Amino acid sequence: MPALFIRMIGCYTSLTLQQFRSFGQTLLCAIAFLLCSSSRIVAHPISMSTAVADIYQDRVQVELRILTEDLMFYHSIEADGDQLLSRKNLLEAAEAHRAFLKKYFRVLDKTGQTIEGNFTRVDTQEIPEEGVRLDQVMEVGVFYEFHILLEDIPQYLTFTQNFGGDDSPVPAVMDLIMLQNGARLDFPVQIGPRSPHSVAIDWENPPRNDRMYWRERRDLMKKRREELLGITSYSSTYAYIYVEPFEIRFEILVPLLTLETWMPMERKEKDFLSVEEQEGLRSPLEKYIRSHCEGLVDGIEVVPVLSHLDFFSLDIRDFASRSEPRSIGMQNGRAGIIMTFSTKGKPASASIEWSGFNDYTPMLNTMVYMMDGTGERHFFTENEPRWNWQTKEEGLGEIAWLTLPQAPQQAVLSVSPVSMTLAGVAGLFLLIGSAGRKRAALWSGVTALVAAGIVWPVTVVEISHPWEKINPPSIDQQKMITEAMLKNVYRAFDYQQDEQVYDALARSASGTFLENLYLQIKKGLIVQEQGGARSHVREVRWGSAASVTSDSSEAAFELNIRWEVTGTVEHWGHIHTRQHAYDALIQIVAEDGQWKIGGMDVTSEEQLKSSTGLRNAA
């Protein structure tokens, strides 16, 4: 028996009986093959093989155990009259099978490129001299040693097999057992034509064969789950539903090979999807979504919008991060799909129905997050394809704005420069006429005075009253007004549509400063490293304020202020938190009896906190 298989058995025999039993049916089958069970199994048309891969920093050593049943099927060996496959024919087929395995069994790097290797040895000792009876073809095997040299220390590897090609009439299943430096890396897995297996390799904490390692494994797996942001399997499909004010998001992270079973994916290269081909998938994918996904919000049907479509390779851990467009490998690439259902306000009820099921996606395991609550698990299946939600809260609807005190009305004086000029001229004529007893001057004065009265209504203007001074609010009132207005400004960005945000800001900003304020706040909420997503404001914390208002007769004041904003961006079950502090000179003015922001000059911005973690589950 080859060395890797012997070493693999040693890895398992060092464990407790309870741990051994937990490996499940896959491992038991593999051990049964290795021990060459004497049970009589009638051959059937399915390829069953075993691979043990030992990963080192400079190489990968793979030993494959191929049943003689495969040699019979793939190389068309016929039995003689005694139902025997001759040793000579099996040895010839075993040698020819090298090229078959090199073509259909592959090890890929993190980009999806095949890492070339060579078969260094074929072990046919299990084949007896008299040949193999047909009822023994699943008991007798051939061992192949496959050696791969690595140029770089591997961080990720993908193992895949597609025995016989896409049109092979023989289904193929392979049990894959992985070692790292001779120690068992993980539990055995099965790989097939559309189910490759990718693994992240930890060189700082490599596995060991002693029993203490498996006691430490729980902590290591918990740490790994946090590092991978909860997305620990590279071949699984993950789904999430977020119920938030003004939108409901349905997010699916799906392997490309699985996505190809949903819809055709035309491409020039079989193993890669180019940037242009990725962009070309948006339109047909949106059509697929709209035919397989239906949504209701508050009893009204809402058509899902494909708001994001991104493609990720193995080395992407944060799926909300922006990555440069590049060709993605089909065997280990994934697509991130975000569907959005818009709402008019905080929804009271919602439902989503998903019908995109097939043999590769028999169900959709989904985490659901309602507002700021903990996550709940939901399973979409053909029998239960609908998710329903009804809020238990009351009073949901529009955003609750903070109330501000009424701004004082500025005292004004009505004047008409034209009427005042005519009145002055009239007074002069009347004075001249009275002194010189000139009737013409008197009539001119009367005419000018009448004209002054006639033009008054159409020429009158209002100016600030020069003698009635309005004092600005007290310092404490100024701080209270400014804090409430600032929080209202950020609440306006709870709306998703820019037009809605702009309209909501109008209650807090002067008309001349409205556009500048909108652009200024929006820029501060954009998280560039998260693909330009706008963060959701969780908290606006008031810091300090100092008045710089000089004596004025106008209802206005200025403050030097400092405040902190905590915002989050959530996707794929994890949450990005950013906290910034700002210093600014802000001007508050009174318009039509309401306080408004007339100007704001941000003098400094400081990032206080940046973290990424998992969203809590129930």
Side-chain angles (χ1 to χ4, degrees):
M1 186 178 296
L4 272 185
F5 277 78
I6 295 174
R7 186 180 302 162
M8 181 271 295
I9 294 175
C11 292
Y12 295 130
T13 55
S14 68
L15 304 178
T16 65
L17 179 60
Q18 183 64 32
Q19 291 169 327
F20 181 82
R21 288 174 177 171
S22 69
F23 295 159
Q25 186 175 4
T26 300
L27 177 59
L28 295 179
C29 290
I31 297 298
F33 288 148
L34 299 180
L35 298 179
C36 302
S37 168
S38 61
S39 61
R40 297 296 182 260
I41 305 174
V42 178
H44 52 84
I46 182 172
S47 170
M48 301 180 68
S49 54
T50 305
V52 179
D54 198 356
I55 304 168
Y56 295 86
Q57 292 190 352
D58 61 346
R59 68 191 186 279
V60 180
Q61 295 177 194
V62 183
E63 290 185 356
L64 301 166
R65 186 174 190 269
I66 305 299
L67 298 178
T68 50
E69 181 187 43
D70 278 24
L71 302 181
M72 178 182 68
F73 283 133
Y74 291 122
H75 299 280
S76 302
I77 302 176
E78 295 184 359
D80 60 18
D82 295 327
Q83 300 297 300
L84 278 172
L85 302 176
S86 72
R87 175 178 171 83
K88 177 177 178 296
N89 289 341
L90 288 173
L91 293 181
E92 291 176 353
E95 187 63 30
H97 208 61
R98 286 178 183 244
F100 177 94
L101 293 175
K102 190 169 183 178
K103 180 178 181 181
Y104 293 118
F105 175 81
R106 295 186 296 158
V107 180
L108 315 176
D109 63 15
K110 66 181 181 181
T111 67
Q113 293 283 355
T114 300
I115 309 174
E116 296 296 336
N118 292 294
F119 285 96
T120 57
R121 182 169 173 264
V122 180
D123 184 349
T124 59
Q125 294 182 33
E126 287 191 8
I127 301 177
E129 290 294 332
E130 65 273 15
V132 178
R133 296 197 311 271
L134 287 182
D135 61 351
Q136 292 180 318
V137 292
M138 291 191 66
E139 301 173 11
V140 180
V142 177
F143 292 89
Y144 293 83
E145 294 184 4
F146 189 52
H147 193 72
I148 300 173
L149 293 178
L150 302 174
E151 296 182 359
D152 301 310
I153 298 175
Q155 304 301 321
Y156 303 89
L157 289 175
T158 298
F159 297 86
T160 181
Q161 63 89 3
N162 189 22
F163 285 179
D166 295 332
D167 300 325
S168 174
V170 181
V173 175
M174 174 181 284
D175 289 317
L176 173 65
I177 301 164
M178 291 171 293
L179 310 177
Q180 182 179 346
N181 294 337
R184 184 167 69 86
L185 179 59
D186 212 334
F187 294 103
V189 295
Q190 284 193 339
I191 60 175
R194 286 196 175 273
S195 53
H197 182 72
S198 298
V199 60
I201 306 160
D202 185 356
W203 294 106
E204 294 183 1
N205 299 290
R208 307 188 306 272
N209 281 331
D210 59 272
R211 295 184 180 183
M212 289 300 297
Y213 170 75
W214 295 102
R215 294 181 181 180
E216 300 168 5
R217 181 175 175 81
R218 180 184 299 176
D219 294 335
L220 291 173
M221 293 303 293
K222 180 180 179 181
K223 179 182 177 182
R224 179 170 178 263
R225 182 175 184 271
E226 292 174 350
E227 290 175 348
L228 296 176
L229 301 174
I231 302 174
T232 56
S233 172
Y234 299 99
S235 57
S236 298
T237 299
Y238 293 85
Y240 305 86
I241 294 175
Y242 288 91
V243 180
E244 296 185 345
F246 305 102
E247 78 169 7
I248 296 173
R249 295 197 311 277
F250 189 20
E251 305 180 353
I252 301 177
L253 185 65
V254 56
L256 294 184
L257 288 179
T258 302
L259 181 61
E260 191 175 27
T261 67
W262 297 3
M263 53 177 286
M265 295 174 63
E266 300 294 335
R267 55 191 183 277
K268 294 180 180 179
E269 296 184 68
K270 178 182 177 181
D271 288 335
F272 291 92
L273 194 66
S274 69
V275 174
E276 293 76 17
E277 290 163 344
Q278 294 168 28
E279 295 173 351
L281 279 177
R282 173 173 285 274
S283 179
L285 180 58
E286 187 156 31
K287 291 180 181 178
Y288 176 87
I289 288 171
R290 292 186 175 182
S291 63
H292 291 81
C293 184
E294 298 179 0
L296 293 176
V297 178
D298 294 332
I300 300 174
E301 183 176 356
V302 179
V303 177
V305 175
L306 180 61
S307 56
H308 288 83
L309 175 60
D310 299 296
F311 296 86
F312 308 105
S313 57
L314 275 183
D315 55 347
I316 298 296
R317 293 186 176 184
D318 184 355
F319 295 94
S321 296
R322 169 176 290 178
S323 58
E324 292 297 324
R326 55 179 170 173
S327 180
I328 298 294
M330 288 293 297
Q331 295 291 332
N332 52 21
R334 287 169 283 185
I337 303 167
I338 299 181
M339 296 161 276
T340 303
F341 301 85
S342 61
T343 69
K344 294 182 178 180
K346 290 184 178 180
S349 65
S351 68
I352 294 176
E353 182 172 333
W354 176 259
S355 59
F357 303 106
N358 59 24
D359 291 341
Y360 298 93
T361 318
M363 71 174 181
L364 208 55
N365 188 349
T366 308
M367 282 300 298
V368 182
Y369 298 104
M370 280 79 74
M371 305 300 176
D372 294 327
T374 55
E376 298 179 0
R377 186 75 62 182
H378 179 79
F379 294 92
F380 287 95
T381 65
E382 284 190 275
N383 292 331
E384 297 183 7
R386 182 178 290 272
W387 163 79
N388 295 295
W389 170 77
Q390 181 82 35
T391 184
K392 298 178 182 179
E393 300 180 33
E394 296 182 359
L396 294 179
E398 291 296 316
I399 295 174
W401 304 98
L402 296 180
T403 303
L404 296 173
Q406 193 77 12
Q409 294 283 356
Q410 175 69 47
V412 296
L413 184 64
S414 298
V415 296
S416 170
V418 176
S419 294
M420 292 173 65
T421 301
L422 289 174
V425 172
L428 180 61
F429 276 116
L430 291 174
L431 182 61
I432 294 173
S434 298
R437 296 182 179 180
K438 296 180 179 180
R439 296 182 63 184
L442 290 173
W443 278 111
S444 296
V446 171
T447 302
L449 192 60
V450 172
I454 293 174
V455 300
W456 173 273
V458 295
T459 60
V460 68
V461 294
E462 293 182 343
I463 62 173
S464 298
H465 202 293
W467 299 290
E468 293 188 17
K469 182 178 180 180
I470 296 180
N471 294 321
S474 66
I475 296 299
D476 289 340
Q477 289 176 325
Q478 292 178 22
K479 293 179 181 179
M480 182 272 292
I481 292 169
T482 306
E483 180 181 0
M485 292 188 66
L486 201 59
K487 291 183 177 180
N488 280 345
V489 164
Y490 282 100
R491 286 190 179 185
F493 282 86
D494 283 347
Y495 289 106
Q496 296 301 309
Q497 302 299 323
D498 288 343
E499 296 82 2
Q500 294 175 309
V501 176
Y502 200 85
D503 292 341
L505 275 180
R507 68 171 56 237
S508 301
S510 172
T512 57
F513 186 63
L514 178 58
E515 183 176 358
N516 286 338
L517 181 64
Y518 167 77
L519 295 175
Q520 199 171 62
I521 300 298
K522 182 178 180 180
K523 180 181 178 182
L525 295 178
I526 295 298
V527 185
Q528 294 297 340
E529 63 268 27
Q530 299 302 320
R534 194 176 77 195
S535 61
H536 175 57
V537 177
R538 297 293 180 179
E539 181 183 14
V540 179
R541 181 180 299 176
W542 184 254
S544 60
S547 176
V548 294
T549 304
S550 58
D551 292 338
S552 173
S553 62
E554 297 182 356
F557 57 89
E558 291 183 346
L559 293 174
N560 278 321
I561 61 173
R562 181 178 177 84
W563 74 98
E564 297 174 3
V565 179
T566 301
T568 59
V569 174
E570 290 192 64
H571 287 300
W572 318 114
H574 56 277
I575 182 169
H576 303 265
T577 303
R578 303 290 185 270
Q579 186 178 46
H580 286 79
Y582 299 90
D583 292 289
L585 174 63
I586 190 169
Q587 181 188 44
I588 307 298
V589 298
E591 285 187 359
D592 301 325
Q594 294 183 338
W595 293 110
K596 298 287 185 75
I597 299 176
M600 185 169 68
D601 180 20
V602 177
T603 56
S604 70
E605 177 182 352
E606 177 186 2
Q607 180 170 290
L608 302 179
K609 178 183 177 182
S610 177
S611 63
T612 301
L614 294 176
R615 178 78 177 264
N616 292 330

